[in-house]
Amino acid sequence: MIIFAKILKKFVLTIFLLFSSLTVLLAQYDKDVFMWRGRQALADGKYAAAIENFNILERLDTTDYWSFFFRGIAKYNLGDLRGANRDFDRSVRLNPVFTNGYHYRAITQSRFGNYDAAFRDFDKAIELRPGQIGIYFSRGVTSFLARKFDDAVADFDKYIQKEPKDPSAYLNRGACHLYLADTTKALADYNRAIKLDRYEPEGYIRRASVYANLGKREEALKDLDKAIELDQSNTLAYFNRALLHYEDKRYNEAMRDLNTVLKSEPGNALTLYNRSLIYAQVGDFERALDDMDRVININPGNVLAHFNRAAFFVQMERWQDALEDYDKSIELYPDFAKAYLNRSYVKSMMGRTRESKADYQTAQQKIKEYQSRGGRGSALSDTTSRFNALLALDADFAKKDFDDELLQHRDIDIRLRPLYRFSLCPEDYNLNVALSRRYENALIDRFIELADKPVTITNAELRGEDLPISAESAEEYFVRGLQDLQNKRYNSALSWFEKAIASSEEGQDKDKYSRYYKAFYLMNRGVLKAEMTDFIASLEGNVQTLSMDTEGSTRARVSDKVERNYDYSSAIADIRAALEILPDIPYLYFNLGNLQCLSSQFVSAIENYDMAIKLYPYMGDAYFNRGLVLIYLKDKEKGCIDLSRAGELGVKDSYGVITKYCEDE
């Protein structure tokens, strides 16, 4: 997600207006014509054309720091953060007192998560021009991203002292106060923002959320009504109002608002899920099933969708269908105590008494385990929780274009191709793959050949046989971990992988290559950590941890949703550690690219996909993922070429994406 994109767009427009008259006066010089054309292209959002003009300027005059600065802005808006950073670097090297260069290099550094470097640049910009108040606003946003909420409040305070009539600053400061658990100050800031701009719906939406949490439901409804009156296309306002209507048992009104959301966003899975539950609440199970079927089609791994669909089938006395969905719920999460209890009931109704009793006993055991941890651990083990309540989660609303749909797999499957890992496999699996243009590596082949069980390296879902395995060496620990992993026993698998890593260099007398196998154990541990993070995120419905929108010159608004932050840094560290041992394995670069995508480090991700392809030119998944990211970064032509190549190499998902995003309109 491009956090500061609109900041730069607005800034470009301001600069363009300020300098347009000067450009007209100097148009007799070729370089000034190109400067004018470049700035005009920036103002029009034609970033590739802008870069072309600034490239010519670079050849005409290598000392013009403004041309590098503007080209950096164009690259930033195309998602080339590293290129933008290089151009901002160049601008401040050419002019060491160029405040704007430091300011916007700081914004770029914050996108990389390099907060220390960003704060140094902000400090330098403020040292040069302490009166340029917009720098405090940008630093406040970066402090928010770095979770330094007190510092963020201090910066917004300074900004507000000079710009007391900017509603965006109050919205941002209000969000900081919410993270600091100061509801009173947050509400005061939202009130002030609304007073300053009564025609901006966001202030009403945010204040409604605070009112709802305080139990002031009527005030919350009035604010949402006002937001919708101001912007009838604001789907988030409709969604939030639907939740309030539902809690007040005004089901018709709730349904009407959810229908409005789905009219604009027919693939919004969260809204479909909630509408399904309302249909079930009023006894319309056929429509409830239709909506939940669509949710599962969009996200087959949604545990709660399968669990609730099973409940619909129970109400309809479709016992076999209910059983299959409870089976799937337990397959997706083997510790789901409530699913075992419900499956016990279904099996009882089917006359399978012995199996029913076994499920009931399993459920009781898992409940005891949950209670022995003091209620800590997954809420899915808690049978007191209601899993058929409407979900009020931070979803992507009012998003229409590819920028916002990437990786959300709404209408077609446009997810990244998954991470590679070692996996148990059927006995003859490796013989079958050997006939294809598979990646050949002597060390990997030796490792697979010496394994106690049939093992392969893949990103497909495979399943080998569950057979007893002794565990006395690193290799055997690893295979035990693979067996637990295929059974979704994540914590146990993680424990075995850690044992394998710890003892990886102890078996060198038996196999002189064993010290290199540590890279494989690290790779699998990194993938497992990432999958555990993804699983938690999918249960909690959090598509992103921090949503931002922008408005005005040097403005950014931060989200006031207090939610968990999903961090892939530990998984990335494992993959990097594996690369230090074996720097020539394409799967490691591919995995690192995926994890960097999930961490919004898109330029670095492309570089790692490049390396994976260099090492393994037939890696269709790497072409596919690189193509998706390139299209996301507005480089449609190269992205579509990559998707075409991926299709040639057997990635069938490519063609659906090509049809949607690569055909000429």
Side-chain angles (χ1 to χ4, degrees):
M1 178 181 180
I2 298 179
I3 295 177
F4 287 100
K6 292 185 181 176
I7 295 177
L8 300 183
K9 292 178 186 177
K10 295 288 184 179
F11 180 77
V12 168
L13 184 56
T14 303
I15 295 294
F16 170 70
L17 294 174
L18 288 174
F19 285 84
S20 58
S21 58
L22 178 63
T23 305
V24 172
L25 293 174
L26 301 178
Q28 64 268 28
Y29 297 101
D30 285 347
K31 68 176 185 178
D32 297 309
V33 172
F34 288 116
M35 175 64 78
W36 184 88
R37 289 175 179 172
R39 290 206 307 272
Q40 181 67 57
L42 277 177
D44 293 341
K46 299 176 180 177
Y47 303 117
I51 289 174
E52 289 176 5
N53 283 282
F54 294 128
N55 285 344
I56 295 172
L57 274 173
E58 181 187 12
R59 292 195 293 270
L60 291 174
D61 184 357
T62 59
T63 65
D64 187 349
Y65 56 90
W66 277 107
S67 64
F68 289 103
F69 175 72
F70 285 132
R71 190 175 70 177
I73 291 176
K75 289 179 178 179
Y76 185 101
N77 281 282
L78 287 172
D80 184 6
L81 300 181
R82 183 165 293 180
N85 202 60
R86 283 198 302 269
D87 278 343
F88 295 143
D89 274 341
R90 186 75 175 270
S91 72
V92 296
R93 283 204 306 272
L94 290 170
N95 182 358
V97 293
F98 184 37
T99 306
N100 289 319
Y102 290 109
H103 184 178
Y104 290 97
R105 187 173 68 177
I107 291 173
T108 306
Q109 291 286 1
S110 71
R111 285 293 314 281
F112 286 122
N114 299 330
Y115 298 123
D116 290 340
F119 288 128
R120 285 196 296 271
D121 275 346
F122 280 128
D123 291 343
K124 181 66 174 178
I126 289 171
E127 176 189 335
L128 290 169
R129 292 186 65 182
Q132 189 167 314
I133 200 64
I135 301 172
Y136 292 100
F137 192 107
S138 297
R139 190 172 69 176
V141 173
T142 300
S143 293
F144 183 93
L145 292 172
R147 307 188 73 80
K148 297 181 177 181
F149 302 118
D150 288 313
D151 293 344
V153 168
D155 273 334
F156 289 128
D157 285 345
K158 291 177 184 177
Y159 178 82
I160 288 170
Q161 287 176 5
K162 295 289 187 181
E163 296 287 345
K165 295 184 178 181
D166 184 349
S168 296
Y170 293 97
L171 290 174
N172 280 3
R173 192 173 68 177
C176 295
H177 286 314
L178 276 188
Y179 274 88
L180 292 169
D182 194 334
T183 307
T184 302
K185 287 184 178 179
L187 192 58
D189 274 342
Y190 293 156
N191 287 336
R192 182 62 177 163
I194 291 170
K195 186 175 181 180
L196 288 168
D197 187 355
R198 297 184 180 277
Y199 301 101
E200 167 56 52
E202 184 174 354
Y204 295 98
I205 295 173
R206 293 196 181 206
R207 189 172 69 178
S209 176
V210 177
Y211 280 148
N213 289 333
L214 293 174
K216 299 181 178 180
R217 312 175 61 74
E218 290 302 320
E219 290 91 334
L221 277 172
K222 287 179 183 177
D223 272 350
L224 292 173
D225 289 343
K226 184 63 176 178
I228 290 169
E229 176 189 330
L230 292 169
D231 181 6
Q232 295 184 8
S233 66
N234 194 311
T235 52
L236 182 56
Y238 285 106
F239 181 84
N240 286 342
R241 192 172 69 175
L243 296 180
L244 288 176
H245 284 319
Y246 173 81
E247 290 173 9
D248 289 335
K249 295 183 170 50
R250 294 194 291 264
Y251 299 133
N252 289 334
E253 290 86 345
M255 189 68 74
R256 186 160 50 245
D257 280 343
L258 293 180
N259 288 339
T260 301
V261 174
L262 291 169
K263 185 176 180 181
S264 298
E265 303 175 27
N268 189 313
L270 182 60
T271 306
L272 286 167
Y273 177 92
N274 283 350
R275 189 175 71 172
S276 174
L277 295 182
I278 295 178
Y279 277 136
Q281 184 86 20
V282 299
D284 192 344
F285 292 108
E286 290 296 340
R287 290 186 179 179
L289 280 175
D290 287 342
D291 278 350
M292 202 61 77
D293 286 346
R294 290 176 65 190
V295 173
I296 291 171
N297 185 53
I298 292 168
N299 185 2
N302 189 312
V303 178
L304 296 182
H306 286 285
F307 180 82
N308 281 296
R309 190 172 68 174
F312 302 162
F313 287 135
V314 168
Q315 292 294 323
M316 302 167 76
E317 298 186 0
R318 291 170 56 175
W319 307 114
Q320 183 60 39
D321 291 328
L323 179 62
E324 290 174 6
D325 265 335
Y326 285 133
D327 286 345
K328 185 65 176 179
S329 299
I330 291 168
E331 175 190 335
L332 290 168
Y333 194 74
D335 288 332
F336 197 168
K338 197 67 171 281
Y340 282 102
L341 280 177
N342 289 12
R343 190 172 71 174
S344 171
Y345 171 75
V346 169
K347 288 180 176 177
S348 173
M349 297 302 294
M350 298 174 73
R352 295 159 66 168
T353 308
R354 182 177 300 176
E355 294 177 30
S356 172
K357 184 177 180 180
D359 272 348
Y360 181 81
Q361 291 173 341
T362 301
Q364 295 304 315
Q365 179 61 35
K366 293 187 179 298
I367 293 167
K368 288 180 182 177
E369 292 172 0
Y370 175 78
Q371 293 172 341
S372 69
R373 296 192 297 269
R376 296 187 298 275
S378 173
L380 293 178
S381 300
D382 180 9
T383 58
T384 66
S385 295
R386 292 179 63 234
F387 301 111
N388 61 342
L390 266 63
L391 298 183
L393 305 174
D394 189 17
D396 281 345
F397 285 92
K399 307 243 176 131
K400 305 296 190 297
D401 59 358
F402 184 72
D403 292 34
D404 307 301
E405 288 187 20
L406 182 70
L407 314 184
Q408 306 309 315
H409 48 92
R410 291 188 174 181
D411 300 320
I412 59 173
D413 188 0
I414 56 172
R415 288 172 292 184
L416 292 174
R417 299 290 293 170
L419 300 166
Y420 278 84
R421 68 184 186 198
F422 285 89
S423 176
L424 298 181
C425 64
E427 189 73 38
D428 58 349
Y429 181 82
N430 287 314
L431 295 176
N432 294 334
V433 231
L435 300 175
S436 63
R437 292 184 293 193
R438 70 181 184 92
Y439 173 67
E440 296 183 1
N441 180 286
L443 186 65
I444 292 177
D445 291 344
R446 177 183 177 82
F447 180 75
I448 289 174
E449 183 180 344
L450 295 177
D452 292 337
K453 303 293 177 187
V455 168
T456 192
I457 187 167
T458 181
N459 63 351
E461 285 289 334
L462 299 178
R463 187 170 186 88
E465 291 185 54
D466 279 341
L467 295 173
I469 302 170
S470 60
E472 300 175 355
S473 67
E475 292 85 352
E476 290 169 343
Y477 293 146
F478 185 63
V479 174
R480 283 289 299 270
L482 296 182
Q483 189 162 281
D484 279 341
L485 180 57
Q486 78 172 5
N487 290 310
K488 302 290 193 298
R489 295 193 289 265
Y490 296 133
N491 289 322
S492 178
L494 186 62
S495 175
W496 286 115
F497 291 159
E498 287 172 348
K499 287 182 179 179
I501 291 167
S503 59
S504 57
E505 298 188 10
E506 296 176 2
Q508 293 185 42
D509 295 337
K510 184 178 69 172
D511 186 345
K512 63 181 180 180
Y513 299 105
S514 63
R515 66 182 183 275
Y516 298 111
Y517 298 160
K518 182 178 180 180
F520 303 151
Y521 309 149
L522 285 164
M523 179 177 80
N524 258 50
R525 187 176 72 174
V527 173
L528 174 56
K529 289 177 180 178
E531 290 182 353
M532 292 172 75
T533 300
D534 287 340
F535 187 75
I536 294 170
S538 70
L539 289 178
E540 297 182 358
N542 291 323
V543 174
Q544 58 193 32
T545 61
L546 184 68
S547 60
M548 303 189 64
D549 59 351
T550 51
E551 179 175 322
S553 177
T554 65
R555 303 289 185 273
R557 290 188 188 163
V558 295
S559 170
D560 60 5
K561 300 291 288 186
V562 181
E563 55 181 287
R564 291 194 51 186
N565 198 15
Y566 299 103
D567 183 12
Y568 293 91
S569 58
S570 181
I572 289 174
D574 275 348
I575 302 301
R576 290 193 185 281
L579 279 168
E580 289 179 6
I581 300 170
L582 294 175
D584 61 345
I585 303 297
Y587 303 117
L588 293 172
Y589 291 100
F590 176 88
N591 287 353
L592 186 56
N594 272 27
L595 295 172
Q596 287 169 331
C597 274
L598 294 172
S599 304
S600 299
Q601 301 171 21
F602 297 110
V603 176
S604 298
I606 287 178
E607 291 174 353
N608 280 297
Y609 292 139
D610 291 345
M611 193 64 185
I613 291 169
K614 180 180 179 181
L615 291 169
Y616 181 25
Y618 300 115
M619 196 175 193
D621 289 335
Y623 283 100
F624 180 87
N625 286 6
R626 189 175 71 177
L628 282 184
V629 176
L630 285 168
I631 293 175
Y632 179 79
L633 297 179
K634 305 297 186 184
D635 198 342
K636 178 178 173 180
E637 186 63 29
K638 290 182 181 177
C640 292
I641 290 172
D642 270 351
L643 289 172
S644 175
R645 179 63 174 153
E648 291 174 8
L649 292 172
V651 183
K652 295 179 181 178
D653 291 343
S654 300
Y655 297 108
V657 183
I658 289 170
T659 299
K660 187 167 185 179
Y661 297 113
C662 296
E663 292 182 355
D664 292 332
E665 295 181 356

